[in-house]
Amino acid sequence: MPRDDWNDEDEDWTDDIDDPSDEEDDQTAVCPECGGHIFLGADKCPACGYWLSAADHRALGTDNSQPRFIRIATAIILALFLIGLLIAGIRLF
């Protein structure tokens, strides 16, 4: 049975609107096990179920881990540099 005295002015629907000041609550990191996104305060990854240890929490809090593409690019550059040194060394003899 519907209520006849329903008043929309009593309801506050502004809680559903995204507030830019709440961005601190939405900080995420990358799961060390599956690479999924997890919240910084989480104890468990929602994607794979991996339980985060104290060491994992310390690593997530700092930005010590480099993205994979940086490690790959560094390895490729280093390999090209060493190959260039070998070629230059062969030309000298």
Side-chain angles (χ1 to χ4, degrees):
M1 182 158 140
R3 288 181 53 176
D4 293 333
D5 61 343
W6 182 277
N7 188 357
D8 287 337
E9 294 174 8
D10 292 339
E11 296 292 325
D12 184 16
W13 297 97
T14 59
D15 292 339
D16 295 338
I17 300 172
D18 290 338
D19 186 9
S21 64
D22 291 339
E23 289 180 12
E24 294 177 5
D25 297 335
D26 295 337
Q27 291 181 351
T28 59
V30 177
C31 174
E33 186 71 18
C34 70
H37 293 286
I38 56 174
F39 290 106
L40 288 179
D43 292 328
K44 183 177 167 183
C45 175
C48 68
Y50 177 74
W51 285 94
L52 300 167
S53 66
D56 292 331
H57 281 287
R58 284 191 298 272
L60 292 176
T62 60
D63 200 15
N64 289 341
S65 61
Q66 295 177 345
R68 177 179 278 171
F69 72 90
I70 291 178
R71 291 184 295 209
I72 292 171
T74 303
I76 291 172
I77 291 170
L78 182 61
L80 291 174
F81 178 73
L82 291 174
I83 291 171
L85 284 177
L86 287 173
I87 291 173
I90 293 172
R91 288 184 186 167
L92 292 176
F93 292 110

